Amino acid sequence: IEALSNKCPVISTDCPTGPSEIINHKNGILVANNNQNEMTKAIDSLFYNKKLKNFFKTNAVDTIRHLDSEIISKQWLEL
């Protein structure tokens, strides 16, 4: 979340909880757990494909806006 809030594209393993709820095809890349080849391809694609990297950077903040602390606090208070 911190990386995305700073417009940094992310690559993460798709572990059972967490990343797939935040990272999507608009802000980063999820790779299968323990798949070194897939991780290498993801890193290469962000390094060599500036258009893809810029697409992820542009969308990063918008895709996590709903996780803003003020929004979450308000939701908690409404419970």
Side-chain angles (χ1 to χ4, degrees):
I1 294 172
E2 292 84 1
L4 292 170
S5 68
N6 286 292
K7 298 182 179 181
C8 183
V10 294
I11 300 171
S12 177
T13 56
D14 192 9
C15 58
T17 58
S20 64
E21 298 167 11
I22 300 167
I23 301 168
N24 56 49
H25 62 279
K26 293 180 181 176
N27 61 14
I29 302 171
L30 282 176
V31 299
N33 287 329
N34 301 312
N35 189 327
Q36 185 176 358
N37 289 333
E38 199 174 324
M39 180 62 81
T40 301
K41 287 179 185 177
I43 293 168
D44 283 349
S45 66
L46 279 185
F47 185 77
Y48 292 110
N49 188 338
K50 302 296 182 198
K51 195 173 190 177
L52 178 63
K53 183 169 81 171
N54 287 332
F55 174 77
F56 288 156
K57 287 173 69 172
T58 299
N59 293 308
V61 175
D62 287 337
T63 60
I64 60 162
R65 194 171 310 279
H66 67 284
L67 300 173
D68 182 84
S69 61
E70 289 185 27
I71 293 172
I72 299 295
S73 297
K74 185 177 179 181
Q75 290 172 343
W76 273 103
L77 292 172
E78 291 173 357
L79 289 177

